[in-house]
Short mmCIF file of all heavy atoms in Angstrom, two decimals:
data_model
loop_
_atom_site.label_atom_id
_atom_site.label_comp_id
_atom_site.label_asym_id
_atom_site.label_seq_id
_atom_site.Cartn_x
_atom_site.Cartn_y
_atom_site.Cartn_z
N PRO A 111 -34.35 30.80 -5.25
CA PRO A 111 -35.55 30.05 -4.88
C PRO A 111 -35.69 29.81 -3.38
O PRO A 111 -36.78 29.49 -2.91
CB PRO A 111 -35.37 28.72 -5.63
CG PRO A 111 -33.91 28.59 -5.82
CD PRO A 111 -33.39 29.98 -6.00
N ASP A 112 -34.62 30.00 -2.61
CA ASP A 112 -34.66 29.76 -1.17
C ASP A 112 -34.86 31.03 -0.35
O ASP A 112 -34.90 30.97 0.87
CB ASP A 112 -33.36 29.07 -0.71
CG ASP A 112 -33.16 27.73 -1.39
OD1 ASP A 112 -34.17 27.04 -1.61
OD2 ASP A 112 -32.00 27.38 -1.70
N TYR A 113 -34.97 32.15 -1.01
CA TYR A 113 -35.12 33.44 -0.31
C TYR A 113 -36.61 33.75 -0.19
O TYR A 113 -37.16 34.55 -0.93
CB TYR A 113 -34.39 34.52 -1.09
CG TYR A 113 -34.14 35.80 -0.32
CD1 TYR A 113 -33.46 36.85 -0.93
CD2 TYR A 113 -34.57 35.97 0.99
CE1 TYR A 113 -33.21 38.02 -0.25
CE2 TYR A 113 -34.32 37.13 1.67
CZ TYR A 113 -33.64 38.16 1.05
OH TYR A 113 -33.41 39.33 1.73
N GLU A 114 -37.29 33.14 0.78
CA GLU A 114 -38.75 33.24 0.87
C GLU A 114 -39.21 34.60 1.35
O GLU A 114 -40.37 34.96 1.13
CB GLU A 114 -39.29 32.15 1.78
CG GLU A 114 -38.84 32.25 3.23
CD GLU A 114 -39.44 31.16 4.10
OE1 GLU A 114 -40.01 30.19 3.54
OE2 GLU A 114 -39.35 31.28 5.32
N ASN A 115 -38.36 35.38 2.02
CA ASN A 115 -38.75 36.71 2.48
C ASN A 115 -38.62 37.77 1.40
O ASN A 115 -39.03 38.92 1.62
CB ASN A 115 -37.89 37.13 3.68
CG ASN A 115 -38.15 36.25 4.89
OD1 ASN A 115 -39.23 35.70 5.04
ND2 ASN A 115 -37.16 36.12 5.74
N ASP A 116 -38.10 37.40 0.27
CA ASP A 116 -37.86 38.37 -0.80
C ASP A 116 -39.16 38.59 -1.59
O ASP A 116 -39.29 38.16 -2.74
CB ASP A 116 -36.75 37.87 -1.72
CG ASP A 116 -36.47 38.83 -2.85
OD1 ASP A 116 -36.73 40.03 -2.69
OD2 ASP A 116 -36.00 38.38 -3.92
N VAL A 117 -40.13 39.28 -0.98
CA VAL A 117 -41.40 39.55 -1.66
C VAL A 117 -42.09 40.71 -0.97
O VAL A 117 -42.05 40.86 0.26
CB VAL A 117 -42.30 38.29 -1.65
CG1 VAL A 117 -42.65 37.88 -0.23
CG2 VAL A 117 -43.57 38.54 -2.45
N LEU A 118 -42.68 41.56 -1.76
CA LEU A 118 -43.51 42.66 -1.29
C LEU A 118 -44.76 42.71 -2.16
O LEU A 118 -44.67 42.93 -3.36
CB LEU A 118 -42.76 44.00 -1.38
CG LEU A 118 -43.58 45.24 -1.04
CD1 LEU A 118 -43.99 45.24 0.44
CD2 LEU A 118 -42.80 46.51 -1.36
N VAL A 119 -45.90 42.49 -1.55
CA VAL A 119 -47.16 42.51 -2.29
C VAL A 119 -47.59 43.97 -2.46
O VAL A 119 -47.82 44.67 -1.48
CB VAL A 119 -48.24 41.71 -1.56
CG1 VAL A 119 -49.54 41.75 -2.35
CG2 VAL A 119 -47.80 40.26 -1.35
N THR A 120 -47.66 44.41 -3.70
CA THR A 120 -48.06 45.79 -3.98
C THR A 120 -49.54 45.92 -4.34
O THR A 120 -50.07 47.03 -4.29
CB THR A 120 -47.22 46.35 -5.14
OG1 THR A 120 -47.39 45.53 -6.30
CG2 THR A 120 -45.75 46.38 -4.76
N ARG A 121 -50.17 44.83 -4.70
CA ARG A 121 -51.60 44.88 -5.02
C ARG A 121 -52.25 43.56 -4.59
O ARG A 121 -51.95 42.51 -5.13
CB ARG A 121 -51.85 45.12 -6.50
CG ARG A 121 -53.33 45.32 -6.85
CD ARG A 121 -53.54 45.43 -8.35
NE ARG A 121 -52.74 46.48 -8.93
CZ ARG A 121 -52.58 46.66 -10.23
NH1 ARG A 121 -53.16 45.83 -11.09
NH2 ARG A 121 -51.82 47.65 -10.69
N TRP A 122 -53.15 43.68 -3.60
CA TRP A 122 -53.91 42.53 -3.13
C TRP A 122 -55.20 42.39 -3.91
O TRP A 122 -55.60 43.32 -4.62
CB TRP A 122 -54.22 42.68 -1.65
CG TRP A 122 -53.05 42.50 -0.73
CD1 TRP A 122 -52.29 43.48 -0.16
CD2 TRP A 122 -52.49 41.26 -0.28
NE1 TRP A 122 -51.30 42.94 0.62
CE2 TRP A 122 -51.40 41.57 0.57
CE3 TRP A 122 -52.80 39.92 -0.51
CZ2 TRP A 122 -50.63 40.60 1.18
CZ3 TRP A 122 -52.04 38.93 0.10
CH2 TRP A 122 -50.96 39.28 0.93
N PRO A 123 -55.89 41.26 -3.80
CA PRO A 123 -57.20 41.12 -4.45
C PRO A 123 -58.20 42.15 -3.93
O PRO A 123 -58.01 42.77 -2.87
CB PRO A 123 -57.63 39.69 -4.08
CG PRO A 123 -56.37 38.99 -3.77
CD PRO A 123 -55.44 39.99 -3.19
N TRP A 124 -59.27 42.32 -4.67
CA TRP A 124 -60.27 43.35 -4.36
C TRP A 124 -60.87 43.14 -2.98
O TRP A 124 -61.11 44.10 -2.25
CB TRP A 124 -61.37 43.32 -5.42
CG TRP A 124 -62.42 44.37 -5.19
CD1 TRP A 124 -62.38 45.67 -5.57
CD2 TRP A 124 -63.68 44.18 -4.53
NE1 TRP A 124 -63.52 46.33 -5.18
CE2 TRP A 124 -64.35 45.43 -4.54
CE3 TRP A 124 -64.30 43.09 -3.93
CZ2 TRP A 124 -65.59 45.61 -3.97
CZ3 TRP A 124 -65.53 43.27 -3.35
CH2 TRP A 124 -66.18 44.51 -3.38
N VAL A 125 -61.08 41.89 -2.57
CA VAL A 125 -61.70 41.62 -1.28
C VAL A 125 -60.80 42.10 -0.14
O VAL A 125 -61.28 42.60 0.88
CB VAL A 125 -62.01 40.11 -1.14
CG1 VAL A 125 -60.75 39.28 -1.19
CG2 VAL A 125 -62.77 39.84 0.15
N VAL A 126 -59.49 42.00 -0.32
CA VAL A 126 -58.56 42.47 0.70
C VAL A 126 -58.54 44.00 0.72
O VAL A 126 -58.52 44.63 1.79
CB VAL A 126 -57.15 41.91 0.46
CG1 VAL A 126 -56.16 42.46 1.48
CG2 VAL A 126 -57.18 40.39 0.51
N GLN A 127 -58.56 44.62 -0.45
CA GLN A 127 -58.55 46.07 -0.51
C GLN A 127 -59.79 46.65 0.17
O GLN A 127 -59.70 47.66 0.88
CB GLN A 127 -58.47 46.53 -1.97
CG GLN A 127 -57.21 46.09 -2.69
CD GLN A 127 -57.20 46.52 -4.15
OE1 GLN A 127 -57.89 47.46 -4.55
NE2 GLN A 127 -56.41 45.84 -4.97
N GLN A 128 -60.93 46.02 -0.03
CA GLN A 128 -62.16 46.50 0.61
C GLN A 128 -62.11 46.30 2.12
O GLN A 128 -62.58 47.15 2.89
CB GLN A 128 -63.38 45.79 0.03
CG GLN A 128 -63.68 46.17 -1.41
CD GLN A 128 -64.00 47.65 -1.56
OE1 GLN A 128 -63.25 48.39 -2.19
NE2 GLN A 128 -65.09 48.07 -0.97
N ALA A 129 -61.53 45.18 2.56
CA ALA A 129 -61.47 44.92 4.00
C ALA A 129 -60.50 45.86 4.71
O ALA A 129 -60.75 46.24 5.86
CB ALA A 129 -61.06 43.47 4.24
N LEU A 130 -59.41 46.23 4.05
CA LEU A 130 -58.41 47.11 4.65
C LEU A 130 -58.71 48.58 4.43
O LEU A 130 -58.04 49.43 5.02
CB LEU A 130 -57.02 46.79 4.09
CG LEU A 130 -56.51 45.36 4.33
CD1 LEU A 130 -55.14 45.19 3.72
CD2 LEU A 130 -56.49 45.02 5.81
N LYS A 131 -59.68 48.88 3.61
CA LYS A 131 -60.00 50.27 3.32
C LYS A 131 -60.64 50.92 4.53
O LYS A 131 -61.58 50.39 5.11
CB LYS A 131 -60.95 50.34 2.12
CG LYS A 131 -61.28 51.75 1.67
CD LYS A 131 -62.20 51.72 0.47
CE LYS A 131 -62.56 53.13 0.01
NZ LYS A 131 -63.47 53.11 -1.16
N PRO A 132 -60.14 52.09 4.98
CA PRO A 132 -60.75 52.74 6.14
C PRO A 132 -62.17 53.17 5.82
O PRO A 132 -62.48 53.65 4.73
CB PRO A 132 -59.85 53.96 6.39
CG PRO A 132 -59.16 54.20 5.08
CD PRO A 132 -59.00 52.85 4.43
N VAL A 133 -63.04 52.96 6.80
CA VAL A 133 -64.46 53.28 6.62
C VAL A 133 -64.66 54.78 6.82
O VAL A 133 -64.34 55.32 7.88
CB VAL A 133 -65.33 52.49 7.61
CG1 VAL A 133 -66.80 52.80 7.40
CG2 VAL A 133 -65.08 51.00 7.43
N ARG A 134 -65.19 55.44 5.81
CA ARG A 134 -65.48 56.87 5.89
C ARG A 134 -66.92 57.09 5.45
O ARG A 134 -67.29 56.79 4.32
CB ARG A 134 -64.53 57.67 4.99
CG ARG A 134 -63.06 57.57 5.42
CD ARG A 134 -62.17 58.37 4.51
NE ARG A 134 -60.78 58.28 4.92
CZ ARG A 134 -59.76 58.86 4.26
NH1 ARG A 134 -60.01 59.55 3.15
NH2 ARG A 134 -58.53 58.73 4.72
N TYR A 135 -67.69 57.60 6.36
CA TYR A 135 -69.10 57.81 6.11
C TYR A 135 -69.34 59.29 5.81
O TYR A 135 -68.70 60.16 6.38
CB TYR A 135 -69.93 57.38 7.31
CG TYR A 135 -69.77 55.93 7.65
CD1 TYR A 135 -68.84 55.53 8.61
CD2 TYR A 135 -70.52 54.95 7.02
CE1 TYR A 135 -68.69 54.19 8.92
CE2 TYR A 135 -70.36 53.62 7.32
CZ TYR A 135 -69.44 53.24 8.28
OH TYR A 135 -69.28 51.94 8.58
N LYS A 136 -70.29 59.53 4.93
CA LYS A 136 -70.65 60.88 4.55
C LYS A 136 -72.16 61.05 4.69
O LYS A 136 -72.90 60.08 4.68
CB LYS A 136 -70.21 61.18 3.11
CG LYS A 136 -68.71 61.07 2.88
CD LYS A 136 -68.36 61.36 1.45
CE LYS A 136 -66.84 61.24 1.21
NZ LYS A 136 -66.48 61.51 -0.20
N GLY A 137 -72.57 62.29 4.79
CA GLY A 137 -74.00 62.58 4.90
C GLY A 137 -74.42 62.91 6.32
O GLY A 137 -73.62 62.91 7.26
N PRO A 138 -75.70 63.22 6.52
CA PRO A 138 -76.20 63.59 7.85
C PRO A 138 -76.00 62.49 8.88
O PRO A 138 -75.70 62.75 10.04
CB PRO A 138 -77.69 63.86 7.60
CG PRO A 138 -77.80 64.12 6.13
CD PRO A 138 -76.74 63.28 5.49
N GLY A 139 -76.22 61.25 8.49
CA GLY A 139 -76.04 60.16 9.44
C GLY A 139 -74.62 60.05 9.93
O GLY A 139 -74.38 59.69 11.09
#
Side-chain angles (χ1 to χ4, degrees):
D112 299 324
Y113 196 179
E114 63 178 13
N115 294 333
D116 180 26
V117 62
L118 174 66
V119 180
T120 58
R121 186 186 304 170
W122 288 99
W124 181 84
V125 62
V126 177
Q127 298 178 22
Q128 291 298 114
L130 300 180
K131 184 178 179 181
V133 181
R134 296 179 180 178
Y135 299 94
K136 300 179 181 180

